Amino acid sequence: MNTIKARRPPPGVPSRFDPLDAAITASLARYGITVIRVGLGFIFLWFGALKFVPGMSPAEDLATRTIEHLTLGTVGPAVSLPVLATWECAIGLGLLTKRFLRATLLLLAVQMVGTAMPLILFPAETFTRFPLAPTLEGQYIIKNVVLIGAGMVIGATVRGGRLTTEPPGGDHIFHIE
């Protein structure tokens, strides 16, 4: 069980906001993971669907060149783009429906590794000054750290785990069961 200690108000400070804080925290615990899962699913489905329409995805060129480079030229854009689009849509649908969630998260993890490759393979296109100043493409890739974290949080629930606000005993420790 992972635990994070919550800050308590200093002694003597009125806690008149405690009921409101508890209600907000309970709502966040109740709905937060669902919002992450649905939002992430929507993003993958949307961005994947864009790749089915030539010229619609701003990541199309970089993605196909990355796949072509990683496969030593054996998989060209005519194959890689529809496969990537299908892959991303499958991730999106898996997250939205909660079906095959373990497999979905595995697909997401592999996809994230592939998505990071342009930072290594094409640094001139992903950084204006390596490693401190990413281009727009580089920023697009680097922000995937948040998507990876979201996938990890969702993954922590596949065995029935859930986010709770207070464990038994009310010692103000937030944890994932």
Side-chain angles (χ1 to χ4, degrees):
M1 171 173 38
N2 298 325
T3 59
I4 302 170
K5 292 209 182 240
R7 291 182 184 225
R8 294 182 183 201
V13 173
S15 57
R16 66 181 184 185
F17 295 109
D18 280 350
L20 177 61
D21 181 62
I24 291 170
T25 304
S27 291
L28 294 173
R30 187 176 309 112
Y31 301 113
I33 293 173
T34 299
V35 170
I36 288 172
R37 182 181 51 75
V38 170
L40 193 58
F42 182 69
I43 288 168
F44 271 93
L45 185 59
W46 184 6
F47 289 7
L50 286 177
K51 290 177 180 69
F52 282 117
V53 182
M56 287 294 284
S57 172
E60 181 178 313
D61 179 60
L62 191 57
T64 57
R65 285 188 297 116
T66 300
I67 293 169
E68 193 165 21
H69 189 87
L70 291 173
T71 63
L72 304 174
T74 60
V75 180
V79 172
S80 66
L81 197 57
V83 168
L84 181 58
T86 302
W87 188 298
E88 290 181 359
C89 286
I91 292 169
L93 290 171
L95 289 167
L96 289 169
T97 64
K98 288 180 73 172
R99 301 207 45 166
F100 311 108
L101 206 46
R102 286 177 178 87
T104 297
L105 292 171
L106 177 61
L107 289 175
L108 188 149
V110 172
Q111 199 267 352
M112 286 292 109
V113 170
T115 299
M117 287 295 108
L119 297 173
I120 297 164
L121 299 176
F122 308 114
E125 294 179 49
T126 55
F127 292 95
T128 57
R129 293 208 174 133
F130 183 83
L132 300 176
T135 62
L136 189 57
E137 290 86 354
Q139 291 176 35
Y140 180 83
I141 295 166
I142 292 167
K143 65 91 180 101
N144 286 339
V145 171
V146 176
L147 302 184
I148 292 166
M152 293 170 70
V153 169
I154 295 164
T157 68
V158 297
R159 295 179 54 114
R162 61 187 177 87
L163 186 62
T164 63
T165 56
E166 292 186 38
D171 56 1
H172 292 73
I173 297 176
F174 299 89
H175 67 283
I176 295 176
E177 293 179 334

